[in-house]
Amino acid sequence: MAVVSGAEAFSFDGGPVGVLLVHGFTGSPASMRPWGEYLAAEGFTVCCPRLPGHGTRWQEMNRTTWQDWYGEIERAFEDLRRRSTHVFVMGLSMGGTLTLRLAEQHTDRIAGIVLVNPSILSENKSMRALPVVKLLVPSLKAIANDIRKEGADEIAYARTPLRAVASLVQLWRVTRADLGKVTMPVLYFRSKEDHVVEASNHQAIQAGISSKDVTDIELADSYHVATLDHDAPAIFEGSAAFVRQHARVEA
């Protein structure tokens, strides 16, 4: 199936330190490209895969599961590991969920993780009906482009595929159960105003992980897709400094 223009995966070859970027649910690598370009300019090797079912049509995403999405980033991670002295993983929204899951499974092989508005739960009570609703209704109107900055576009679906949502809920469940396995340094960015991910996600993640080195930064001028919003420069600069600190790389 054809990929929407601008939603393609991307990679940049650079120095010995690798960075894996992971985009969010129904989104695309477009939400991560400016971040990736910044990190590449800083001299890092960068990879951002397009998750299966994303960047094409929402109907295709309904035929994928969280295991498909996770499998794609794990393959990209293994490739970076072969080519890098250190690997850092950075994710937005569900990309943050997948980042946490990868960190749980590869604790000693990841130098550090950066999370931007990650999700591991929902307070929406209608989610309880999802096992039945997904069989009757294929999709609902999406909440895409939750961005304060005018003109920004994450190239996400206008519909939310419900079978895929049901699989996301499964990913949340297994990730929450293993949060204690996350021990590496964490840089955590969270928007003060987020219309997609509730603050309870932040609280649950902070309470669940075992990492001793955790830096928590609130973003005052961005909504959910903060990597394309007004606070994006703070994310880019902060993550580059985080990599240099924990990989002992000179600026």
Side-chain angles (χ1 to χ4, degrees):
M1 190 169 290
V3 177
V4 176
S5 178
E8 303 88 354
F10 63 83
S11 62
F12 303 104
D13 290 332
V17 175
V19 177
L20 174 60
L21 297 176
V22 191
H23 68 78
F25 185 77
T26 77
S28 74
S31 63
M32 312 299 274
R33 182 171 281 276
W35 193 1
E37 291 174 346
Y38 181 93
L39 293 172
E42 292 292 301
F44 306 125
T45 292
V46 179
C47 175
C48 181
R50 178 178 61 86
L51 301 178
H54 292 72
T56 55
R57 299 172 68 242
W58 65 261
Q59 292 89 340
E60 183 186 9
M61 190 175 171
N62 252 346
R63 295 191 286 268
T64 65
T65 66
W66 77 262
Q67 290 91 342
D68 297 319
W69 314 328
Y70 179 80
E72 184 67 22
I73 68 160
E74 191 167 50
R75 283 189 289 273
F77 169 72
E78 294 294 353
D79 178 66
L80 273 178
R81 279 285 303 170
R82 287 190 291 270
R83 300 185 288 123
S84 308
T85 57
H86 301 76
V87 175
F88 293 79
V89 187
M90 309 183 183
L92 164 69
S93 191
M94 182 191 74
T97 318
L98 291 167
T99 295
L100 286 166
R101 187 59 183 162
L102 196 69
E104 293 167 356
Q105 300 299 302
H106 299 276
T107 303
D108 298 328
R109 305 174 71 205
I110 297 175
I113 62 174
V114 180
L115 307 172
V116 181
N117 296 324
S119 67
I120 60 165
L121 56 86
S122 174
E123 297 176 15
N124 189 338
K125 294 181 179 179
S126 65
M127 296 286 278
R128 298 173 185 170
L130 190 58
V132 174
V133 175
K134 72 175 184 179
L135 301 177
L136 304 173
V137 181
S139 70
L140 294 175
K141 184 178 179 181
I143 301 176
N145 282 319
D146 187 38
I147 307 170
R148 184 191 292 267
K149 184 177 181 180
E150 293 186 6
D153 183 9
E154 64 171 325
I155 309 184
Y157 293 142
R159 305 288 298 178
T160 298
L162 294 187
R163 290 178 184 267
V165 174
S167 193
L168 172 61
V169 172
Q170 294 174 357
L171 172 61
W172 286 342
R173 187 178 301 119
V174 298
T175 302
R176 285 199 308 271
D178 287 340
L179 280 175
K181 295 180 180 179
V182 177
T183 59
M184 68 285 293
V186 177
L187 176 59
Y188 197 126
F189 292 98
R190 55 189 176 89
S191 296
K192 184 176 182 180
E193 187 173 356
D194 187 330
H195 306 106
V196 178
V197 171
E198 303 101 336
S200 53
N201 285 268
H202 166 70
Q203 296 157 5
I205 291 170
Q206 292 280 25
I209 61 176
S210 299
S211 302
K212 302 302 181 185
D213 183 347
V214 180
T215 301
D216 182 23
I217 298 176
E218 185 178 79
L219 305 173
D221 198 23
S222 297
Y223 294 156
H224 181 63
V225 190
T227 54
L228 295 179
D229 219 323
H230 294 295
D231 293 304
I235 296 173
F236 302 169
E237 294 164 12
S239 62
F242 178 79
V243 170
R244 284 193 289 267
Q245 175 187 355
H246 293 288
R248 296 178 176 84
V249 177
E250 296 296 329

